[in-house]
Amino acid sequence: MGDFLSQEEIDALLKGHTDIETAAPAEPEAAAAPEATLSDLEKDTLGEIGNISMGSAATALSQILNKRVLITTPTIKIMTPEELFASFQVPYVLVEVNFTEGLQGSNLLIIKVSDAAIIADLMMGGSGENVTPELDEIKSSAVAEAMNQMVGSAATSMATIFQRSVKITPPHLTAVNFNNESYTSPWATAQSIVVVCFKMEIEGLVDSQIMQVMPMEIAKDEVRMLMGSEPAAGASTGAETAAAPSVNGGGTPASAPAPAATPAESAPASAPPTTQASAPSSRAQTPGGAGSPGGGQTQRQGQVYGASSRNIDLILDVPLDIEVILGTAMKRIQDILSLAPGAIVELDRLVEEPVQITVNGTPIAQGEVVIVNENFGVRITHILEPYERINHLRQ
């Protein structure tokens, strides 16, 4: 019997084996924790991206409201959705935007309901003063349109600085009072998210914050794209894929920097003063690798038109709409509703200024109005250069 284990010895061995099994899984969890952090350089990079993209959004909002709008001074925090929503003491408007190209995933644009109500009141012709901090159906529609314009402008700026196409879905707006309502977050409750807070001012009416929230994965992807650390696979497959690695500033083919020079000219126009000097700096080395400035401009124009025209004959019979724009004007809804026969709408173009000629909505030329056989016509005086057309698309 001395060769057999007693019951006490068997129980002791089984207990020790169970302790080892339960303790073993703790090591991978501890090793995964450092992934949910951002270095100081990554935070600075995200702040610069936010400065440029939200600067463009501020410009769009300013044009809609006809008020001076400032969105500046970003601060970056890392937390979980549960922690973020628990910190909200007043009702907020959450605007969810999904990326469909260039980036993958969702992000949120968050503002207070009281700020959104002021924006809606201004869009509807009000003064923005003594506004009830509530959103009815009409005001929600007005805010949704403002957010649509803002995120669209921000996406365009991101496409410019990343040198690749960035497309988003139409924003989805939800007003939530977190004191007595719940909100279904697009991310897991304990997932790490990056919250970029901006100070937002609207000419004597709003002095508040606007928040951009994204998962850690999107934040790191944005940093990698701006810093040029993504693999350059497929760089020779086409114009869009070649533009992505061109921000590396070196080691790229001579034709790669061609599209990079074009957006750099329009990016500062929509950014706030604090970001104008830094917007082109991230691509300052790119034209240097291409050779002389003249050669860079030649390649830029060739890139717009395409490398080969052997298939152009296939689309020569496609009809296109040509429009001549005499001028434009921006009016509030209140002004539009008050229009009557005999009213005069003042346009933003002087009498001696040339009119704009567009094809399918894209400006291609300028000219002057003439009379041809008792019909109006237009004499072309200037054909827009390719880089000028791109600048018009970016505006």
Side-chain angles (χ1 to χ4, degrees), residues 335-383:
D335 298 331
I336 299 298
L337 295 177
S338 63
L339 291 177
I344 297 177
V345 178
E346 183 178 355
L347 304 179
D348 61 353
R349 197 178 301 272
L350 299 177
V351 175
E352 64 272 11
E353 283 190 78
V355 297
Q356 189 177 73
I357 304 171
T358 67
V359 174
N360 276 17
T362 302
I364 66 162
Q366 295 176 339
E368 55 185 19
V369 178
V370 296
I371 302 296
V372 181
N373 296 329
E374 299 184 354
N375 293 325
F376 284 112
V378 60
R379 178 186 294 114
I380 295 177
T381 58
H382 174 63
I383 299 293

Side-chain angles (χ1 to χ4, degrees), residues 189-256:
T189 304
Q191 181 179 351
S192 294
I193 58 174
V194 178
V195 182
V196 186
C197 300
F198 300 85
K199 182 179 180 181
M200 180 176 70
E201 299 179 10
I202 302 178
E203 199 175 335
L205 297 173
V206 173
D207 187 354
S208 183
Q209 281 189 338
I210 182 170
M211 288 172 276
Q212 183 183 14
V213 185
M214 68 190 80
M216 183 67 67
E217 294 79 6
I218 289 183
K220 288 185 174 292
D221 285 344
E222 290 186 4
V223 172
R224 282 192 292 266
M225 285 192 289
L226 186 62
M227 302 300 290
S229 58
E230 281 196 332
S236 60
T237 58
E240 286 190 10
T241 55
S246 65
V247 296
N248 288 336
T252 54
S255 59

Side-chain angles (χ1 to χ4, degrees), residues 38-50 73-79 193-198 212 214 216 219 223:
L38 291 172
S39 66
D40 291 340
L41 177 60
E42 289 174 326
K43 289 182 180 180
D44 291 342
T45 304
L46 283 176
E48 186 65 16
I49 295 172
T73 318
T75 59
I76 298 177
K77 303 177 183 178
I78 300 175
M79 57 181 66
I193 58 174
V194 178
V195 182
V196 186
C197 300
F198 300 85
Q212 183 183 14
M214 68 190 80
M216 183 67 67
V223 172

Side-chain angles (χ1 to χ4, degrees), residues 26-35:
E27 294 182 359
E29 294 180 358
E35 293 298 326

Side-chain angles (χ1 to χ4, degrees), residues 294-325:
Q297 182 176 358
T298 303
Q299 292 182 4
R300 174 178 57 193
Q301 296 178 359
Q303 188 68 39
V304 174
Y305 284 115
S308 174
S309 60
R310 60 179 179 272
N311 294 327
I312 192 66
D313 293 341
L314 299 177
I315 60 172
L316 289 179
D317 59 345
V318 174
L320 300 175
D321 292 328
I322 298 179
E323 296 180 344
V324 178
I325 301 177

Side-chain angles (χ1 to χ4, degrees), residues 24 162 167 277 314:
F162 293 150
K167 295 182 180 179
L314 299 177

